[in-house]
Each structure stands twice: as structure tokens, then as C-alpha cells.
Amino acid sequence: MDLRTMTQSLVTLAEDNMAFFSSQGPGETARRLSGVFAGVREQALGLEPALGRLLSVAHLFDLDAETPANGYRSLVHTARCCLAHLLHKSRYVASNRRSIFFRASHNLAELEAYLAALTQLRALAYYAQHLLATNRPGRLFFEGDEGVTADFLREYVTLHKGCFYGRCLGFQFTPAIRPFLQTISIGLVSFGEHYKRNETGLGVTASSLFTSGRFAIDPELRGAEFERIIQNLDVHFWKAFWNITEIEVLSSLANMASATVRVSRLLSLPPKAFEMPLTADPKLMVTISPPLAHTGPGPVLVRLISYDLREGQDSEELSSLVRSEGPRSLELRPRPQQAPRSRSLVVHIHGGGFVAQTSKSHEPYLKSWAQELGTPILSIDYSLAPEAPFPRALEECFYAYCWAVKHCALLAAYGVRVPDGIMAAYPATMLQSTASPSRLLSLMDPLLPLSVLSKCVSAYAGGETEDHSDSDQKALGMMGLVRRDTALLFRDLRLGASSWLNSFLELSGHKSHPNSVPVAEPMRRSVSEAALAQPEGLLGTDSLKSLTLHDLSLRGSSETADTPELSLSAETLGPSTPSAVNFLLGPEDAPEEAEARDEPRELSTKDRVCSVGSAFPEGFHPRRSSQGSIRMPLYSSPIVKNPFMSPLLAPDSMLQTLPPVHIVACALDPMLDDSVMFARRLRSLGQPVTLHVVEDLPHGFLSLAALCRETRQAAAVCVERIRLVLNPPGPSAPTTPLV
């Protein structure tokens, strides 16, 4: 059924039901039923033209005709799901309203909940129209005046969200996912009660999190509490909640249901520098330093998973690196004999918002991969924020990858030095303060709400305090607003940021700048020291603050061979000013700062205020949150524009060194536009890239792979994309795909 036909059918039914209940006398339930159908009629008629306009231009933002996916399409699809549910419910009411078994109160509660959702979706449609009108043609992320972004998103975060976490929870996803989301939401609000009592998850039993009956039987109460939690509790709460999957009972159950593998070992890689040959000239060597950022040298934990016990995996050298996990540290099942070495190795970097989980949480689907692919998997347990902010985790991942290539004989793979391909599952490629149509989905996403995204990125960027002394404030969910000053940030980076960036560029075959450190002398300087040594004028700090994707595409086409390859990424680690800013919210004084710098502005202050205020038509008023203003601080640092933090902002010269990239994204993921724009950027550079977008599933579906048929099919797509790297068309070669 097309959008117009669906809307007309819903309006007709709403008018019929409205007339019926208006004639039923002065009863409160009948009055409210009449009112709710009047509201459905009004919102449906107002929403349909806005959705039609978005749908008419949505194809302009697709990667190609075979991949019809972007945030505008996702918003229209989500609104259609809500309209379809209201249409179904309106038909049910029209058919059963005279029956003595008709549950008026129950149907009223559901209709009111979905009317609230429809109202908020109408607001999102207007916001999307506003983005469409003010953004550059063909761009999904807003790249104009930072003040516009700030005002736009400051308005957006005041919208009411609780209606999406009660009766309407997960209505946009496949039905098989909804019971799981309901269980998670009950567990979340129950966990929030424990957290308020200073029980941050350490002494909480798994069963106690899902037995709060009042949240199970009262969806409105659950929705209101869910909204309070996501807006007010800090990143430490989310870290504790997401780590529930690693409670021994739950992890044991998950492992019992997963594939049985011969090897699952947690290894501790010693923090020792080693030499590796350069890709450009194997006769030259580069020093791979251990991770240093913030905390100094330290071991890196990785998990080796192999379906078969292969040659080298039971060696004394590898066994000396094993870190005990108790009785499950090594799974050895009777097998006929030791298998030969594998021709390939999969390096896995898990998700968790930069702040939570380890390979233990992702072990169930990794075991299945090891069995299906017949390839060992090395999953990296990188250090987590806020205790270890950027670039510590990145240093550890790079070091672990280089170690795996150097010691491939121990891991049963051989012959490779750089990844032959990348499979990225629902990646985040843009962490800069900006907005996009898919990001608007965060208003209703129970797994990736806007404020939670902000707090995770804030912690990763170094803006989250590590001071837990005020336990009462922490227990009440108050964000610590302690800010690290510029000198402290530079001290951390000076002490820590090692030579991983230079090593990566050298391994990618880049030419060094004539004034840079020669290859014969291994790069010992930290990234921040290199930034301080860069000549001014090429990319100043002010120019970086206003750098956009368009600017980068222009720069990429005009760069000369002797342009310093380190300049962009190093400059982005330059001086910064702390301020309370969300990663989607600009600073309150951004317009004044822009005027002081005499930067070009696309809209005047007057135009900006008017344009934001006129996003809604006269007479339409969306519902506002009852939680008050939201404080979502982020360290306002150029670090968020670092290409190793926001790959979408990387210069052309860096992206052109990537191997083939295979992206698997979710149509209903707030991060969908990250995948679409990154794929479009790579394709514009002639880089091999594929994009597959799965329907009706949430972000993080790999962790739900065993839940239902739809998640199993989506996980199978990821496996198939890895196979494209392991077994490319043409002559076969040993590979090390990076997941």
C-alpha cells in the first residue's frame, strides 16, 4: 500500500471511529477515544505531505540504484510502520467496538501511545526537511554554520522520548526482536534502580535485573523511567549495564549455545618494541612501539579463537602468553589430529561504544565464524574509555595487529603484512559535531539513544572525568563536569601517543615529507610532538575547526607528492578548549566565536534563528520531555576531527591506501548515514567498496545472531563478506582481513 492510500484509509477509519465514540455519551473513555482518533486524523494528514517530500528526493542520497538506503528513507519507513500499526488498530476498533468483549481501556492506552509516537515522528519529518533545505546538495551530514547545528540539535533533544520506550518499544524492528528489546528495557530500568542505590552492577545478580514486576506490567512507567535513565545517568552506568553479558552465568549460557571450538585462549602480548619491514621497501625496517598513550607501556590482551587446533597454537612460546581465565581459558575437545596451518587470519575489533565489553561478550558469534570460515580469529581486548581515552585503544589495536603479522606462525597464519580487506559492521565513521537524517532515529532507538551516544564519544574523546569520589552525585546520575585543561591534555598525549600513526603510514607505502624523521631512524616521537613541529600555514587550527567533507575532497584533488602526510591527523590533536558540548550539540557561544574569527557563514544569526524556529508549521507542537535540560558534555577538541577518530574526514590520500572495504549496515541504525557517506566517499575515489544494508534490525545485531532468523541471515551476510576477502576471485593468496 502506497503512502497516500495508507493515509487516506487511516483518516477514513479515524473519522468513523471518532463519530461513533462521540455519540456514546459523556463517558470519559468514550471522550478520550474520540479525541485520540481526532488526533490520529490530524497528525496523519500533516505527516503525509512531509513524508512525500522526503521520499521524492531520497534516491539522491543512495550509494547506487542497487543500494536504496539512507537516513531519509529510514525516517519514511519508520513513520510508515507507525501509520500501519495505527491503521491495523483502527480497523480492529471499528470491527469490535460494539462487542461486549471490547477492551476499551486497553485499546485506548495503545492508541494514545502510538498517537504520541506519530506526533514525534511528524516532528522528525520536519527536522529532516529542515536538514534537506539547509544542507549542501547530496550531503547527509550537515556541513554549514556550527551555530545552526547547535540550535537545531538543542531544539531536537528537548523532544519527548518516553513514548518510544513503553508500548511502542521497537515497533520499527522485526517482530522477532521486540520481546528481546522489552526484556532489555525491563532489565535496564531495574538496573537503574540498583545503580541509584550505589549498586553499580558489581553485586547485582542477573535474575534480579529482570524481575521488577511493576515495570513489566506498566509500559508507561517503564517508558518514563527509561527516558530518565538515558538522559541523566552517566557513562559509568552504561559501562556497567553493557558488561552484564560478561557475568559468568550469562556468558556460560551463551557459550553453551554457541559453536564448540578447540581453542579459545586469552593472550597477554608483552609491551616490547619490534621491527617490521616496510611495505614499500621490504629491505627497510620500521619500529613498532608498544602502546604508550595516557598510561604508559602496558600489555595488550587478545583472544585467539580457532575451531581446530592448528600447528603452532600449542607451542610453548604461545602458551607462555596465555592469561588464565579459570577453567574455560582453553577449550580442548577430542579431535583426530592437529590441523595444518591456516592460509588466513581474521583480526576482530569488537564494539561497545568505546567504553564497554570485551571479546568475551562477542565470543559466541566469533566461535561460529571460526567454524564457518575455517580460519583462526584474533579478537583484540583494547583498553576502554573513560579510563583510557583516544588514542590508547587505537594504539593497542594497531600494535596487536602488527604483532599478529609478525608472529603469524604462532597463530597458524602466514605470508601477509597488511590487511587484504576490511569488513565493517555498522561502523561509526563520523564523530564530529553534526546532524544527519539517520541520527534523528536516535530519538526512538532503545539501544543507541542520542544522549548515550554523546556520553560514549565524550568519554572516548577524553572529556569524561575519571573522578568517582562523589558517589552520591554519581548514584543520582549526575554527570561529572570536571574539565581537563589544555595543558593536561597535551601532557597526556606527549607522554603517551606513540609512533603508531607514522608506522601505519609507512606500512601503507607513503612517502615521508623531506623534513620528517628519516626511515633509518625509527619514528620515536609522539603524535602530539609531531603536531607541534608542523609548520604553520598549511592547515592552521582555525581552518581545521571549520574543515568539512567538501574541503577535504577539494584538498585531496590538489595535493602534491611532497605534502606532509602527517599534517592533517597531527594537527587535529592540537590545542583545544574545554566546553560542555554534546557530540551532536555545538557550544552555546559558537556563533560569537565564528564572528570573532571572521569565518564565512552561510546564514546570518537572524536567518539561523528564524530557520530553526520555522521548522514546524504553525499550529503544530510536538511533545516535550519532562526531564528538563540535558547536560551531555563533550570535550570540545579537534580530536573528534582526527581521521583516526572520524574516518569520514580523512584526506583522500589516506583513504586511497585502504584495502577493499565491505560495509554491512542497518537501515534503522542512527549510524546508517555514517556507512552510506563513507561508502560514497570511497567510491568517488575509485576505491573498491561494497555496502549491504539489512532491514528491520537494530545496531549490534551480531550479538543477537542466535536470536531469530533475521539476525542469523544478517550475520551470514557478514560472514559472506569476509569470505570475499579470504577467497577473492582470481589467484588465491594468504589474507588477513580486519573485521
Side-chain angles (χ1 to χ4, degrees):
M1 186 182 300
D2 64 81
L3 181 61
R4 175 157 295 182
T5 302
M6 179 184 293
T7 301
Q8 291 175 345
S9 299
L10 178 59
V11 168
T12 300
L13 282 166
E15 290 175 342
D16 178 65
N17 283 319
M18 181 173 57
F20 174 83
F21 289 109
S22 296
S23 66
Q24 296 304 300
E28 176 67 14
T29 300
R31 183 188 65 80
R32 288 173 61 186
L33 280 167
S34 178
V36 77
F37 281 112
V40 168
R41 176 184 181 277
E42 176 188 355
Q43 299 305 330
L45 287 173
L47 179 61
E48 190 266 333
L51 295 181
R53 284 190 286 272
L54 294 179
L55 197 57
S56 67
V57 298
H59 65 281
L60 301 175
F61 302 89
D62 296 333
L63 174 65
D64 51 41
E66 289 71 37
T67 317
N70 60 68
Y72 292 114
R73 290 186 183 275
S74 297
L75 278 173
V76 174
H77 172 78
T78 302
R80 283 177 57 90
C81 287
C82 189
L83 288 169
H85 186 89
L86 282 168
L87 180 61
H88 171 76
K89 179 56 63 174
S90 297
R91 284 173 175 163
Y92 174 83
V93 172
S95 301
N96 296 276
R97 62 197 181 195
R98 297 181 183 276
S99 171
I100 60 174
F101 300 106
F102 179 69
R103 297 187 297 164
S105 297
H106 169 79
N107 286 281
L108 173 62
E110 187 167 355
L111 284 165
E112 287 180 335
Y114 275 89
L115 173 58
L118 191 67
T119 303
Q120 302 307 83
L121 284 167
R122 185 181 173 189
L124 295 187
Y126 290 137
Y127 281 142
Q129 282 187 268
H130 181 70
L131 279 176
L132 194 62
T134 56
N135 205 4
R136 292 178 176 176
R139 305 301 174 93
L140 288 170
F141 288 103
F142 184 78
E143 301 173 20
D145 186 347
E146 291 182 1
V148 176
T149 301
D151 287 351
F152 178 84
L153 291 164
R154 189 177 295 111
E155 166 82 5
Y156 165 74
V157 297
T158 67
L159 291 178
H160 169 63
K161 309 163 191 64
C163 61
F164 293 111
Y165 304 132
R167 294 179 190 271
C168 302
L169 181 70
F171 74 93
Q172 68 272 38
F173 300 124
T174 183
I177 291 289
R178 296 172 195 168
F180 167 79
L181 294 177
Q182 182 174 3
T183 302
I184 290 296
S185 67
I186 295 172
L188 176 69
V189 294
S190 302
F191 190 83
E193 286 196 320
H194 289 283
Y195 191 80
K196 286 190 296 184
R197 303 189 195 106
N198 252 353
E199 299 174 5
T200 57
L202 298 178
V204 181
T205 63
S207 59
S208 68
L209 299 178
F210 305 96
T211 55
S212 184
R214 61 196 183 98
F215 293 126
I217 64 176
D218 191 337
E220 282 71 33
L221 176 64
R222 183 173 72 244
E225 180 67 5
F226 199 111
E227 182 176 12
R228 184 196 69 80
I229 287 174
I230 64 172
Q231 292 195 184
N232 297 319
L233 295 189
D234 61 19
V235 71
H236 303 285
F237 167 81
W238 295 99
K239 178 191 286 280
F241 180 72
W242 287 335
N243 283 336
I244 287 176
T245 56
E246 302 196 2
I247 294 176
E248 192 62 38
V249 174
L250 295 182
S251 64
S252 297
L253 290 174
N255 277 289
M256 288 173 61
S258 61
T260 300
V261 297
R262 191 81 186 275
V263 177
S264 179
R265 286 178 161 182
L266 187 64
L267 309 178
S268 179
L269 309 185
K272 298 178 181 179
F274 54 88
E275 304 289 322
M276 287 190 70
L278 295 179
T279 303
D281 187 352
K283 296 179 181 179
L284 299 177
M285 305 295 288
V286 64
T287 299
I288 305 299
S289 300
L292 298 173
H294 304 295
T295 55
V300 179
L301 299 181
V302 298
R303 183 180 300 277
L304 175 63
I305 299 175
S306 181
Y307 181 70
D308 294 303
L309 177 63
R310 295 183 177 274
E311 180 184 342
Q313 292 178 346
D314 58 351
S315 65
E316 292 184 7
E317 185 177 358
L318 190 65
S319 298
S320 67
L321 303 177
V322 173
R323 177 168 174 170
S324 176
E325 293 184 276
R328 62 180 299 280
S329 60
L330 177 62
E331 298 185 8
L332 292 176
R333 301 290 186 267
R335 294 282 166 83
Q337 59 184 4
Q338 190 179 80
R341 291 184 179 183
S342 170
R343 292 182 54 83
S344 53
L345 174 71
V346 172
V347 178
H348 173 262
I349 302 173
H350 68 78
F354 312 107
V355 303
Q357 299 189 342
T358 68
S359 60
K360 190 174 182 180
S361 298
H362 301 259
E363 195 177 5
Y365 71 81
L366 291 179
K367 287 182 174 181
S368 297
W369 286 9
Q371 180 180 16
E372 294 178 49
L373 296 170
T375 301
I377 297 174
L378 194 74
S379 184
I380 304 173
D381 281 345
Y382 54 86
S383 297
L384 301 171
E387 294 79 10
F390 178 87
R392 181 71 189 198
L394 189 58
E395 288 186 3
E396 292 182 353
C397 291
F398 180 70
Y399 179 82
Y401 167 77
C402 292
W403 187 94
V405 173
K406 176 78 171 180
H407 300 85
C408 54
L410 299 178
L411 304 175
Y414 63 91
V416 294
R417 290 185 298 192
V418 295
D420 283 351
I422 297 173
M423 192 286 286
Y426 33 81
T429 66
M430 176 61 130
L431 300 184
Q432 186 186 4
S433 174
T434 187
S436 85
S438 77
R439 297 283 170 93
L440 298 178
L441 296 173
S442 63
L443 188 78
M444 67 196 76
D445 196 298
L447 302 177
L448 283 182
L450 173 65
S451 59
V452 178
L453 289 172
S454 169
K455 290 162 188 173
C456 290
V457 177
S458 174
Y460 186 48
E464 171 68 26
T465 177
E466 297 178 27
D467 180 11
H468 313 301
S469 57
D470 192 349
S471 58
D472 293 336
Q473 187 183 47
K474 178 171 177 283
L476 292 174
M478 302 295 292
M479 289 291 291
L481 300 179
V482 177
R483 300 173 180 175
R484 300 165 64 188
D485 63 343
T486 303
L488 179 58
L489 177 62
F490 262 94
R491 187 200 68 181
D492 287 346
L493 291 174
R494 277 179 166 278
L495 289 175
S498 63
S499 63
W500 56 265
L501 176 58
N502 295 282
S503 301
F504 178 84
L505 294 177
E506 291 292 351
L507 286 170
S508 300
H510 275 251
K511 294 181 180 180
S512 299
H513 187 263
N515 297 326
S516 64
V517 180
V519 174
E521 177 187 349
M523 286 67 115
R524 303 294 185 185
R525 297 185 303 165
S526 69
V527 174
S528 54
E529 289 172 329
L532 293 173
Q534 288 295 320
E536 296 182 2
L538 177 64
L539 277 177
T541 302
D542 288 343
S543 65
L544 263 172
K545 290 181 180 178
S546 59
L547 196 62
T548 66
L549 294 176
H550 179 67
D551 300 327
L552 287 171
S553 63
L554 292 178
R555 270 183 45 79
S557 60
S558 61
E559 285 180 339
T560 59
D562 59 352
T563 298
E565 300 291 352
L566 185 60
S567 60
L568 176 66
S569 53
E571 284 280 344
T572 56
L573 292 174
S576 56
T577 303
S579 60
V581 189
N582 172 8
F583 95 102
L584 287 177
L585 285 178
E588 295 182 1
D589 58 349
E592 289 75 15
E593 290 180 354
E595 290 175 353
R597 294 193 301 266
D598 294 326
E599 293 181 351
R601 304 184 62 196
E602 297 183 4
L603 297 173
S604 66
T605 302
K606 180 179 178 181
D607 292 338
R608 173 171 53 78
V609 174
C610 291
S611 64
V612 172
S614 61
F616 300 144
E618 184 177 356
F620 173 71
H621 302 286
R623 306 191 182 197
R624 299 295 176 181
S625 174
S626 61
Q627 296 299 319
S629 60
I630 309 170
R631 297 302 302 270
M632 296 181 287
L634 171 65
Y635 206 85
S636 181
S637 167
I639 285 179
V640 295
K641 296 185 180 182
N642 184 287
F644 287 96
M645 197 171 189
S646 295
L648 192 55
L649 296 178
D652 293 351
S653 58
M654 185 177 290
L655 294 181
Q656 286 168 341
T657 67
L658 290 177
V661 176
H662 304 282
I663 304 174
V664 180
C666 307
L668 301 180
D669 184 355
M671 298 297 185
L672 169 64
D673 290 338
D674 295 56
S675 294
V676 175
M677 286 300 294
F678 194 61
R680 290 176 62 184
R681 180 93 191 279
L682 291 175
R683 182 164 292 182
S684 70
L685 297 174
Q687 289 294 104
V689 59
T690 67
L691 172 64
H692 184 99
V693 181
V694 300
E695 304 291 337
D696 304 331
L697 292 180
H699 180 94
F701 64 77
L702 281 174
S703 296
L704 312 176
L707 188 63
C708 61
R709 175 177 56 86
E710 291 84 353
T711 53
R712 287 192 295 271
Q713 290 175 343
V717 172
C718 295
V719 173
E720 184 267 335
R721 290 298 187 266
I722 299 175
R723 281 202 179 99
L724 287 179
V725 180
L726 297 177
N727 303 296
S732 60
T735 55
T736 303
L738 180 66
V739 180

